[in-house]
Amino acid sequence: MSTNLHPMLNVAIKAARAAGAIINRAALDVEAVRVSQKQVNDFVTEVDHASEQTIIETLLTAYPGHGILGEETGSTHGAKDSEFVWIIDPLDGTTNFIHGFPVYCVSIALAVKGKVEQAVIYDPSRNDLFTATKGRGAYMNDRRIRVSKRTQLKESLISTGFPFRKGDNFPAYLAMMSEVMQRTAGLRRPGAAALDLAYVAAGFTDGFFETGLQPWDVAAGSLLVTEAGGLVGNFTGESDFLEQKECLAGNPRIYGQLVPLLNKYSKFASAGDKAAARQAAANVTTLTVPSAPAEDDERDQSAFE
């Protein structure tokens, strides 16, 4: 723990490292980890639950009057009406973890009156610790980080997350990928949104976009990005995105070039833009996507409505 850090951030770091120790022990024999399925392709393990319990105990021991919003336990712990709410993802990248693919992390954020003020993302497999306090900058392993300085989309590396749930709008995502892939140096899908945002903050990638994300996926990472000099919002560029299940992040120049590409796929887009998105999806899927089975026909059309 550092005496120079905000006390609440120090407690969050303690919680993240304790959870990371649980994850690392389990990773030594991942085949023995019990796995259950919340829905198709959406997994939870005993490690998720143990990690979250440790985080909650650490936070509430220090701050018993604070609220908790956890991926696995919701808001069943902590004070229900507190202005201080910890937003927790105990193991972001569970699918990676259960396959032994070492891209996953612990994500902890503190929101005060709805605004994220403290953030910790801990990658236990690499022992990388990303931290931020609002107004004090972003850090990786005690080193100040900044978003990249690239200004041209064609030179940029962009990360994303692929749709994986029944009902996800696969045609729309293929169209978005087509828009981005043709204009950038590369598109990556690591599999843990919190780490994706941390990597934007550190300048490892130049931008990130994904739909369907929950507050615990993006709360900590969003503060890292903004404290590192970047921008975060929904696909139309509006900064109030935390509950909107759309996330776009990047250094300011690349962010500004991604918004015009992706805004028509936003559920907040104009009717004309949504019509353009439907046409783009139709053009892509006509060439590349086989017909879905009948039981999968009920897709989420929110991006086009």
Side-chain angles (χ1 to χ4, degrees):
M1 301 299 103
S2 170
T3 56
N4 296 323
L5 298 179
H6 191 286
M8 292 181 184
L9 187 64
N10 266 330
V11 171
I13 291 169
K14 179 182 178 182
R17 288 196 181 278
I22 291 171
I23 294 166
N24 278 341
R25 283 196 298 272
L28 295 174
D29 188 11
V30 73
E31 296 287 338
V33 173
R34 290 195 298 272
V35 180
S36 56
Q37 190 164 284
K38 292 187 280 189
Q39 54 180 312
V40 175
N41 290 335
D42 194 359
F43 302 100
V44 62
T45 72
E46 59 187 330
V47 180
D48 294 73
H49 291 298
S51 173
E52 185 161 291
Q53 187 60 39
T54 294
I55 294 168
I56 291 170
E57 288 176 359
T58 303
L59 297 176
L60 291 185
T61 296
Y63 301 106
H66 286 193
I68 299 287
L69 175 61
E71 179 177 13
E72 308 307 335
T73 57
S75 55
T76 58
H77 295 278
K80 301 296 183 288
D81 56 355
S82 176
E83 293 181 341
F84 297 83
V85 178
W86 294 96
I87 305 172
I88 302 164
D89 193 335
L91 178 52
D92 187 29
T94 299
T95 300
N96 285 348
F97 173 78
I98 62 179
H99 287 84
F101 189 77
V103 181
Y104 42 81
C105 66
V106 179
S107 177
I108 303 173
L110 175 64
V112 182
K113 298 181 180 179
K115 302 295 183 183
V116 179
E117 294 196 358
Q118 309 291 339
V120 174
I121 292 176
Y122 180 53
D123 177 348
S125 66
R126 294 172 181 77
N127 196 28
D128 283 337
L129 181 71
F130 299 86
T131 60
T133 294
K134 189 172 180 61
R136 296 191 187 181
Y139 294 82
M140 175 184 173
N141 301 329
D142 298 323
R143 177 180 60 84
R144 184 76 178 262
I145 54 176
R146 299 287 296 178
V147 294
S148 74
K149 296 179 180 178
R150 289 186 181 87
T151 61
Q152 298 187 61
L153 204 53
K154 66 181 181 181
E155 298 174 350
S156 297
L157 187 64
I158 306 298
S159 58
T160 188
F162 300 152
F164 60 90
R165 300 178 183 89
K166 181 179 178 179
D168 283 344
N169 196 323
F170 291 91
Y173 229 96
L174 287 172
M176 282 189 278
M177 288 171 59
S178 177
E179 296 256 18
V180 174
M181 289 174 72
Q182 294 179 63
R183 294 170 172 85
T184 60
L187 190 63
R188 300 289 183 267
R189 202 287 192 203
L195 266 183
D196 289 336
L197 287 165
Y199 284 5
V200 171
F204 302 159
T205 58
D206 307 290
F208 163 76
F209 69 95
E210 188 172 351
T211 63
L213 296 173
Q214 299 290 345
W216 47 78
D217 296 312
V218 296
S222 65
L223 183 63
L224 284 168
V225 171
T226 55
E227 286 297 316
L231 297 173
V232 185
N234 65 18
F235 288 177
T236 64
E238 297 163 358
S239 60
D240 187 16
F241 75 98
L242 198 60
E243 306 278 353
Q244 296 180 352
K245 298 188 177 181
E246 290 181 6
C247 183
L248 173 62
N251 77 41
R253 294 291 292 275
I254 299 305
Y255 181 91
Q257 293 168 65
L258 286 171
V259 168
L261 290 181
L262 300 178
N263 62 4
K264 60 180 171 287
Y265 301 100
S266 172
K267 57 187 173 184
F268 307 104
S270 67
D273 284 339
K274 287 179 179 177
R278 282 195 297 270
Q279 185 58 53
N283 290 344
V284 172
T285 55
T286 296
L287 296 174
T288 61
V289 179
S291 298
E295 65 267 26
D296 290 336
D297 281 345
E298 293 183 6
R299 300 197 182 276
D300 178 5
Q301 295 295 318
S302 62
F304 297 148
E305 293 172 357

